[in-house]
Amino acid sequence: MYFRGYRFNAATAPVSPYPFDPIREENFQQKLFIPGGSGPLGVLDVGGPLQISASAASFPILGGQASPFLLYQTEQAGKAYQNPILRIESGARFQATLHNALQEPTIIHWHGLHTPAAMDGHPASTIGPCGRFDYDFTVRNRGGTYWYHTHAHELTAKQAYGGLASFFLVEDEDQRRLGKALDLRLGETDVPLVIQDKQFDTTGKMLYRPNAHESMMGWLGDIILANLTPNAYLTVTPRIYRFRLLNGSNSRIYRLAFVKGKTPLNFSVIGTDGGLLDQPHTVAEAYLSPGERLDVLFDAGQAQPGEAVFLKSLAFDPMENEDTGGMPGMGRTMGQMMANMSSSRLPLGAEFSVLKLSVTEGERFVATPPAKLSEIRPIRTGGASDRKIELSMERMRFLINGRTFRMDEISFEVKRGAVEIWSISNPGRGMPHPMHIHGFSFQVVERLNSPPQVSAGARFGRGRTVSDLGWKDTLLVWPGETVKIAVDFTHDFPGSQTYVFHCHNLEHEDAGMMINFRVNG
Ligand code: C2O
Ligand code: CU
Ligand code: CU
């Protein structure tokens, strides 16, 4: 499996080597930035209303060189935080005021949270420079690894890439029981890890200047950041670690594996977008598309002290299954065309490393997670109504049901309390699209007509992969696929609620691959 998948020929091979080239394992010498109790990505246990300011600042990334960077800044109990990892108990009230200290409009969206539409950070809620927005809602979600980021109308890609994003961790009993059983400590053995790809100029400044092709296909970086650290390493002891993986990239899809030498090692997936699964599932690789999360347990005792394990993204063919008009080999040609037209030295689907785990001496700690991590109640789909969603492309734009986003257009209405099965299909000359629903988590019912590289990992019934299990809010739909999901539109918010459904390839989102839907009151 490791050697399967797309190989780039010499003409499209990434330019190599370059500083911080993630293909070269010897580059992995920067200590992984681990969130602490304050400062950048500091863990902030929400203890009252927050004042959050979205501001243009700078942040040292490449070898400590400062780069212009956008940050959410806040304070609590005399401590300052930048892009804090917000942590809060399920059921608690969350209050925050966003102050826009940028020169352009912005708004925060709480990705994965079930909030009233007015609190969701819909693009219509965007506030201008110097504006403010008051958030006040109850955290109704179960424990899990959620996140927050800018949702500024038509500026989401640029601002999220610029820095405006972080984690939103929800705690509950299930999470605590798991933490106890495995001796997990946030920031030590429980590591939130946001993976992003960026481009930099020679002075270490982050670059974002998509050409027409990149605006259409999505912006790719060629330097990989893990918690804002390029070519990062983490020293680990022979014990179990929890990694809360978040793909915070604009458009890059990762095929993640923990690799020792040439061998992918086993890891357990314990959670997805909306919290813990019912039980852990052992796999050797998993796809992670923009916006998605994977909570995994990795036993570093699978390697000896002195050895290294690399968290890698393995090679894959982003265009596999693409409709080639019956011309064999055309999919590959399309892939090469994409590689040639992108300014990134690292094509989509190339193999590279994300993080080096350096195993050192330490007490061997083996523990098994609770056999039952949590309870996932399947959505009852008897009597559910069907809705067809078709992704397409027309004149260099990707569309949903033939439409491009219009602020005042409601694509469809859903009844409060209704259960619907959405069949999302990606026919024709497509590319993979990570589709995301605001306001409601869903469950994946079935994956049909998957490309071979996806169906190879479909061990979980009805064509589903490990990334499809549990509660989801974002779902990768590959070329040629139809994916069926079940959504329960029960809510207790007063009146009608309008949310967006969009592609989380952020260039696609900003280009209008997004629709409004209204849940009637
Ligand atoms: Cu994380 Cu509307 O998105
Ligand atoms: Cu969202
Ligand atoms: Cu898309």
Side-chain angles (χ1 to χ4, degrees):
M1 290 248 286
Y2 179 54
F3 292 103
R4 281 170 33 110
Y6 192 52
R7 288 281 161 221
F8 294 90
N9 67 22
T12 57
V15 188
S16 190
Y18 54 90
F20 299 102
D21 177 353
I23 295 175
R24 296 167 67 87
E25 297 186 347
E26 62 273 26
N27 283 346
F28 282 69
Q29 301 202 16
Q30 281 69 231
K31 198 166 177 203
L32 175 72
F33 185 81
I34 299 261
S38 64
L41 294 175
V43 179
L44 190 161
D45 283 303
V46 178
L50 293 173
Q51 304 292 324
I52 301 175
S53 115
S55 50
S58 70
F59 194 76
I61 303 179
L62 292 196
Q65 290 180 79
S67 169
F69 206 76
L70 304 180
L71 290 171
Y72 291 120
Q73 314 220 44
T74 191
E75 277 179 24
Q76 186 178 268
K79 289 193 228 163
Y81 298 82
Q82 298 86 40
N83 286 354
I85 297 183
L86 300 173
R87 185 162 65 169
I88 193 165
E89 184 71 17
S90 176
R93 180 177 181 186
F94 178 77
Q95 289 172 279
T97 301
L98 168 68
H99 299 267
N100 183 2
L102 303 172
Q103 306 292 325
E104 57 188 37
T106 198
I107 194 69
I108 297 177
H109 164 59
W110 316 95
H111 181 126
L113 295 193
H114 177 54
T115 70
M119 296 289 118
D120 177 62
H122 186 283
S125 303
T126 300
I127 51 170
C130 297
R132 56 178 272 176
F133 192 95
D134 294 310
Y135 293 96
D136 186 352
F137 58 85
T138 302
V139 176
R140 290 168 171 83
N141 292 64
R142 60 203 289 267
T145 303
Y146 304 91
W147 63 303
Y148 65 101
H149 59 81
T150 171
H151 221 290
H153 184 49
E154 293 177 343
L155 293 169
T156 297
K158 176 181 154 235
Q159 290 183 3
Y161 181 84
L164 293 181
S166 188
F167 289 93
F168 193 104
L169 306 182
V170 178
E171 286 292 297
D172 66 4
E173 269 317 309
D174 290 338
Q175 297 281 339
R176 275 188 287 274
R177 197 172 36 189
L178 172 72
K180 275 215 185 88
L182 300 181
D183 178 37
L184 299 175
R185 279 156 282 128
L186 193 65
E188 291 174 50
T189 50
D190 175 351
V191 183
L193 196 81
V194 52
I195 306 171
Q196 294 165 312
D197 58 334
K198 312 272 189 198
Q199 288 190 31
F200 292 84
D201 71 10
T202 47
T203 69
K205 279 203 198 99
M206 234 161 59
L207 281 181
Y208 185 72
R209 45 169 191 208
N211 59 32
H213 169 82
E214 289 164 326
S215 299
M216 183 177 89
M217 307 305 278
W219 174 257
L220 294 168
D222 44 28
I223 291 182
I224 303 295
L225 306 182
N227 292 350
L228 303 178
T229 317
N231 302 152
Y233 78 88
L234 174 68
T235 303
V236 296
T237 57
R239 56 154 292 144
I240 206 158
Y241 285 81
R242 176 182 186 176
F243 290 102
R244 303 176 188 238
L245 306 171
L246 159 64
N247 183 347
S249 311
N250 280 29
S251 78
R252 185 178 293 278
I253 298 160
Y254 300 82
R255 180 185 166 203
L256 296 173
F258 290 89
V259 181
K260 187 176 90 170
K262 297 252 176 255
T263 316
L265 304 176
N266 282 340
F267 60 96
S268 301
V269 174
I270 54 166
T272 52
D273 302 341
L276 296 174
L277 304 181
D278 50 359
Q279 60 176 94
H281 290 284
T282 302
V283 295
E285 60 169 84
Y287 284 100
L288 190 66
S289 70
E292 285 187 301
R293 284 85 71 211
L294 267 184
D295 245 297
V296 307
L297 296 176
F298 176 69
D299 179 6
Q302 293 178 85
Q304 299 298 316
E307 289 184 323
V309 175
F310 281 88
L311 174 61
K312 287 194 172 206
S313 183
L314 305 180
F316 65 92
D317 177 1
M319 292 291 147
E320 193 178 48
N321 241 22
E322 191 212 8
D323 177 7
T324 54
M327 290 161 66
M330 266 304 281
R332 173 159 303 213
T333 309
M334 181 76 174
Q336 285 176 1
M337 202 177 86
M338 277 177 61
N340 290 338
M341 290 168 75
S342 169
S343 57
S344 168
R345 291 165 290 190
L346 196 64
L348 185 60
E351 179 171 320
F352 55 85
S353 298
V354 173
L355 172 68
K356 176 184 185 178
L357 300 175
S358 305
V359 184
T360 67
E361 301 281 351
E363 201 187 324
R364 178 87 180 110
F365 174 81
V366 219
T368 39
K372 191 176 159 79
L373 295 169
S374 186
E375 174 154 0
I376 306 276
R377 256 182 250 122
I379 294 177
R380 296 163 160 269
T381 52
S385 44
D386 292 313
R387 188 177 296 283
K388 296 226 174 321
I389 310 261
E390 191 169 288
L391 314 179
S392 59
M393 190 184 72
E394 205 181 273
R395 278 180 261 122
M396 312 281 282
R397 271 189 172 212
F398 292 103
L399 307 173
I400 302 176
N401 283 350
R403 304 299 293 170
T404 192
F405 185 68
R406 291 170 132 265
M407 193 67 91
D408 51 7
E409 178 179 292
I410 307 286
S411 277
F412 52 82
E413 306 204 358
V414 171
K415 282 204 204 76
R416 176 200 289 259
V419 171
E420 296 200 348
I421 305 279
W422 289 12
S423 297
I424 309 172
S425 56
N426 184 7
R429 296 169 50 78
M431 59 178 289
H433 298 285
M435 301 307 296
H436 170 52
I437 305 183
H438 280 216
F440 297 86
S441 306
F442 56 83
Q443 292 175 354
V444 181
V445 174
E446 184 168 28
R447 221 175 244 284
L448 297 158
N449 196 30
S450 301
Q453 66 192 3
V454 177
S455 54
R459 296 202 274 103
F460 301 91
R462 297 187 303 268
R464 292 173 309 161
T465 71
V466 75
S467 310
D468 297 329
L469 304 178
W471 286 99
K472 294 285 295 172
D473 56 55
T474 307
L475 167 88
L476 186 56
V477 188
W478 293 87
E481 274 188 329
T482 295
V483 189
K484 292 189 181 182
I485 61 172
V487 203
D488 180 346
F489 289 98
T490 302
H491 69 86
D492 56 6
F493 312 134
S496 297
Q497 307 289 323
T498 299
Y499 300 96
V500 285
F501 167 60
H502 66 85
C503 182
H504 222 288
N505 175 320
L506 297 183
E507 281 72 31
H508 290 183
E509 174 187 337
D510 281 352
M513 194 178 185
M514 174 158 76
I515 55 174
N516 282 308
F517 66 95
R518 181 158 65 207
V519 186
N520 284 328

